[in-house]
Amino acid sequence: MMPIMKRLLLGAALAVLPAMATNVAAQPRPAAAPAKLAIDMRYFTLPNGLKVVLSRDTLAPTVTVGVYYGIGFRVEPRERTGFAHLFEHLMFQGSQNAAKGVFINTISNAGGVLNGSTRFDFTNYFEIVPSNALERILWLEADRMARPVINDTVLKNQQGVVGNEVKVNVLNQPYGTWPWIDLPMLANTNWYNSHNFYGDLKEIEAATVADATQFQSEFYRPNNAVLVVAGDIDYAGAEAMVRKYFGPLQKGPPVVLPDLAEPRQTAEKTRSRVDALAPKPGWAAGYHMPPRGTPEWYAMGLIDQMLVQGDDSRLSRKLEAETGITGDLSGGINAYLGNMYNYNGPMLWAFNFTHDPKFTDAQIRQAVDGVVEQLRTTPVTVAELDRARTKLRSDLYSSVDGGMRIGLIDLLAVYALFDNDPQAVNRIEAGFAKVTPALIQKTAQEYLRPTNRSIYTIVPGTAAAQGAK
């Protein structure tokens, strides 16, 4: 089951253009992954602060361009909830030298695709085009970065689009904000991590042109962005084009991000709500994660594989095969807005499922707690740990080896944006290789304790009505 938010974000700005379907999606993929992840790249920073990652491969005669800005859902200003998402839309409304429609038509005429999304800690835009269209794309992205059209007509139009998206895709859908918004709002205490980041309609509608212009001047600047160009390129030629179009752009003031720190959770949190549109009850749990990049973070990545990912995972066997409580278990680290690599701050390891009303909360807790406590009290075998590593490595390589290179540019961009070190992508496997059974148990004892858990349940409206009779 694809997480709700991934479906919404991929459709938030633009749909994938059909012309690219035969040109890129059908391109061949490598027969087998190499012995070790070794992404070839060049990394440099322009004088205006723009971080640039170039990565050459000849998998297909295409190039993928990504621009990532260091502004996302949880770092948006107070009293402007949903503004990061609103501005994602505004950036598709044309720039000074490329009126509305020029960007889209240029990509379409080249047989390409484009899209954008808003995540916890960044907003990104990407295009996939034949290699000979690279220069046009870089010119368009540079013009959009420096000179987006922001006026009353554009703003009002996109306020309506975003408001309608919230109403149609969230408020009037079964389960709506559950669990991708509900669970973080319950588990976290810091406003930046716990507010309704998809947006309060009143605040979205109250945004002014001055607000949008200020937002652009603060966050959509070269010194708060990463440009990734991956594919069939010549390094010297690609760098020359990047410097030509992005070099003259002026840097903005230093970006000061809010404090995202969360206190250690010391008591389990629970919440429930009635959903009139939900056909079945829902059960979701989230546990605060170790800091990104630590040994325990790598351990949690493997714990996720052992507990949730795949039919062989422990929770899948218990909740689906053995008890029949559910048939749609899903989850992970940053499962609803990305993956375990592309965030930079507090995060939840979470899972969720719907279930038959005959199963009570007590029965579900007993099943879940039995699985989790066994991991906390009994060391895993080397065989199970190795199997988890293999599964995780397979997911990593599948993402990086994709013919459209979207997973590749995402990894390179976030490690440049958050860590100033895209080469760290080539060291991801080494981090997982160092995890031992002892570290798995130590991590589980601290981060899978009941007092670090938040549970959010959904009661279907039909069940509530029947109960009231």
Side-chain angles (χ1 to χ4, degrees), residues 274-298:
V274 175
D275 186 332
L277 300 177
K280 297 167 63 177
W283 203 93
Y287 298 75
H288 290 284
M289 281 283 297
R292 177 175 168 270
T294 61
E296 291 78 12
W297 176 80
Y298 283 105

Side-chain angles (χ1 to χ4, degrees), residues 54 232 278 365:
L54 307 177
D232 187 19
R365 281 173 173 268

Side-chain angles (χ1 to χ4, degrees), residues 31-115:
K36 180 182 179 182
L37 193 63
I39 305 301
D40 187 56
M41 70 185 77
R42 303 288 186 273
Y43 180 48
F44 57 93
T45 302
L46 298 183
N48 59 17
L50 179 68
K51 298 174 180 178
V52 182
V53 187
L54 307 177
S55 179
R56 181 178 184 272
D57 73 63
T58 56
L59 173 66
T62 59
V63 63
T64 303
V65 177
V67 179
Y68 282 55
Y69 294 92
I71 175 64
F73 283 128
R74 65 170 157 198
V75 290
E76 61 190 3
R78 285 179 176 270
E79 299 181 355
R80 283 293 177 265
T81 59
F83 208 83
H85 179 218
L86 172 63
F87 206 85
E88 174 209 325
H89 284 254
L90 292 178
M91 290 289 279
F92 282 100
Q93 301 308 300
S95 57
Q96 179 177 302
N97 299 302
K100 182 178 180 179
V102 171
F103 204 131
I104 300 173
N105 291 335
T106 299
I107 306 297
S108 179
N109 292 338
V113 299
L114 75 165
N115 216 319

Side-chain angles (χ1 to χ4, degrees), residues 94-229:
S95 57
Q96 179 177 302
N97 299 302
K100 182 178 180 179
V102 171
F103 204 131
I104 300 173
N105 291 335
T106 299
I107 306 297
S108 179
N109 292 338
V113 299
L114 75 165
N115 216 319
S117 68
T118 311
R119 307 299 178 97
F120 274 115
D121 302 293
F122 64 83
T123 300
N124 71 318
Y125 306 88
F126 68 85
E127 302 82 36
I128 309 163
V129 294
S131 304
N132 60 10
L134 174 60
E135 187 162 11
R136 281 172 282 171
I137 303 309
L138 293 177
W139 174 77
L140 287 165
E141 281 287 15
D143 200 56
R144 168 159 73 173
M145 179 182 290
R147 296 169 287 272
V149 172
I150 304 174
N151 56 38
D152 192 58
T153 300
V154 164
L155 179 60
K156 287 183 178 178
N157 176 268
Q158 292 309 301
Q159 284 171 318
V161 170
V162 172
N164 186 64
E165 185 176 299
V166 172
K167 293 173 185 176
V168 173
N169 292 342
V170 180
L171 300 182
N172 293 315
Q173 289 292 322
Y175 306 104
T177 56
W178 179 86
W180 59 282
I181 289 179
D182 293 332
L183 203 52
M185 290 182 70
L186 171 62
N188 294 308
T189 58
N190 185 326
W191 180 88
Y192 288 99
N193 302 315
S194 64
H195 72 279
N196 177 9
F197 43 75
Y198 207 63
D200 185 298
L201 290 179
K202 292 181 180 179
E203 294 182 9
I204 292 174
E205 292 165 356
T208 66
V209 171
D211 294 330
T213 302
Q214 178 66 24
F215 194 84
Q216 192 267 338
S217 67
E218 288 183 14
F219 299 109
Y220 278 74
R221 292 297 189 184
N223 51 302
N224 193 40
V226 174
L227 168 67
V228 181
V229 181

